[in-house]
Amino acid sequence: MSARPLIIDCDPGQDDAVALLLAFASAEELDLLGVTAVAGNVPLARTESNARRIRDLAGRPEVPVYAGCPRPMVREPVSAEYVHGSTGIDGADLPEPSRPAEPAHAVDFLVDALKAAVEPITLATLGPLTNVALAIVKEPAILANVREIVTMGGAIGLGNVTPAAEFNIHADPHAAHVVFEAGVPLTMIGLDVTHQAIATPPRLEAIRALGTAPAAAVCGMLDLYGARNLATYDHGAPMHDPCVVAYLLAPGLFEGRAMRVDVELGAGHCFGRTVCDLHGRSGAGANAHVLERVDADGFFAMLTERLARLPAVPI
Ligand code: BDR
Ligand code: CA
């Protein structure tokens, strides 16, 4: 089986960083054509340099990193240093990146890569959808070469950044609207799923026991992320973004169903909410495969095994 051509759009972000490591460690299944960064958890300058730091940590210097949009399409910018720390990857303790980002803008890379694709490309999105939406707006013909979009964002249930909305969708709901209306196969991995994949102390200890630099960085980040999470929820770090990569590697770990999802763009309590038509009340056709359950033990077993494949620089 040949590796699946993939572009990851992200805003690292502690959980984005773990997702990138999982993808970098999975070259047999994932042909990572590039990583595009967007403003989100922290400003763009930091998300794109963090993507390059993670690339170095994974020993994958050949994967190009592109900087994208520094702000959302319409709404005022928001960020999440209160979760991820001022660097976005607090706890990883990584040096300056060894190589610069590519000169091209992420949106242009997305357009050019998709236009030139001989095999349809999968887009994995781990942050606000600004880059992907602008690529669609700039060149709608690229959609013909999108195999599927797998996105971390939204929720059937309630939110995490407001009572109603999840961060990635709330940070650029207009971009999310463009992507959910694009008419390509779309898998939504929302909070309902990611809050089932919790980095509990025993799961973190299994990763820490690998004794490598990537494992130490993952545990350093998730220790902090988990502690901040505990302040709000009754559990540690949810593996939001790594679920996207895990789904691509092992879809059998997840269960979900097709439904209509609309993004609330009106001002008010529900701004940025994904309205998921769980019971088909709208009569509108499904536009998303919405995941509802994950085998968390299977997920962490795979994550730990994949992290063990990364360069074993001792710590
Ligand atoms: C999402 O928001 C970000 O803070 C995380 O990186 C994840 O992509 C979870 O709501
Ligand atoms: Ca993210």
Side-chain angles (χ1 to χ4, degrees):
M1 198 183 73
S2 64
R4 173 200 286 250
L6 174 70
I7 297 172
I8 297 182
D9 187 71
C10 58
D11 63 333
Q14 292 158 318
D15 61 323
D16 303 71
V18 180
L20 286 172
L21 289 172
L22 180 56
F24 282 134
S26 304
E28 267 176 36
E29 296 96 338
L30 304 177
D31 177 13
L32 190 49
L33 305 175
V35 173
T36 56
V38 67
N41 287 318
V42 284
L44 178 68
R46 198 65 215 202
T47 61
E48 73 86 6
S49 68
N50 286 347
R52 291 184 285 125
R53 286 179 177 87
I54 300 297
R55 172 177 71 179
D56 288 348
L57 180 66
R60 295 288 306 275
E62 79 285 3
V63 177
V65 172
Y66 300 84
C69 295
R71 54 150 296 139
M73 292 173 80
V74 178
R75 66 156 302 160
E76 76 285 2
V78 287
S79 57
E81 287 88 351
Y82 61 95
V83 178
H84 300 268
S86 60
T87 67
I89 52 170
D90 277 17
D93 198 21
L94 298 179
E96 286 295 315
S98 62
R99 284 210 303 118
E102 305 302 312
H105 192 282
V107 172
D108 294 324
F109 166 68
L110 283 163
V111 169
D112 292 345
L114 284 161
K115 271 166 74 176
V118 286
E119 184 182 342
I121 296 172
T122 296
L123 304 181
T125 77
L126 316 179
L129 287 158
T130 322
N131 287 340
V132 175
L134 281 174
I136 293 169
V137 169
K138 186 175 185 196
E139 187 54 80
I142 63 174
L143 291 170
N145 281 340
V146 174
R147 173 170 165 180
E148 64 175 316
I149 298 175
V150 182
T151 188
M152 192 281 133
I156 298 170
L158 296 177
N160 60 357
V161 65
T162 72
E166 180 279 330
F167 177 82
N168 288 339
I169 304 295
H170 185 257
D172 197 342
H174 303 91
H177 172 76
V178 169
V179 171
F180 276 78
E181 294 297 309
V184 293
L186 175 75
T187 293
M188 175 182 131
I189 304 183
L191 299 174
D192 325 277
V193 180
T194 64
H195 276 257
Q196 296 169 30
I198 302 301
T200 60
R203 288 168 175 162
L204 279 175
E205 286 321 306
I207 294 174
R208 213 182 308 273
L210 297 175
T212 62
V218 166
C219 291
M221 289 188 289
L222 296 183
D223 284 344
L224 288 180
Y225 194 28
R228 293 198 178 104
N229 212 71
L230 262 180
T232 308
Y233 305 95
D234 61 355
H235 55 67
M239 295 290 87
H240 303 296
D241 295 337
C243 279
V244 171
V245 180
Y247 175 73
L248 293 173
L249 293 170
L253 291 175
F254 296 83
E255 288 173 41
R257 54 187 145 153
M259 68 184 77
R260 176 76 202 170
V261 180
D262 289 293
V263 179
E264 178 57 63
L265 300 178
H269 295 302
C270 290
F271 179 63
R273 176 165 174 70
T274 46
V275 180
C276 297
D277 192 4
L278 195 57
H279 302 296
R281 305 316 301 154
S282 67
N287 60 344
H289 176 222
V290 179
L291 301 190
E292 296 179 278
R293 276 173 296 282
V294 58
D295 167 0
D297 287 333
F299 166 87
F300 276 95
M302 183 173 69
L303 176 63
T304 307
E305 184 270 321
R306 295 298 164 121
L307 291 174
R309 298 184 186 185
L310 289 171
V313 183
I315 46 157

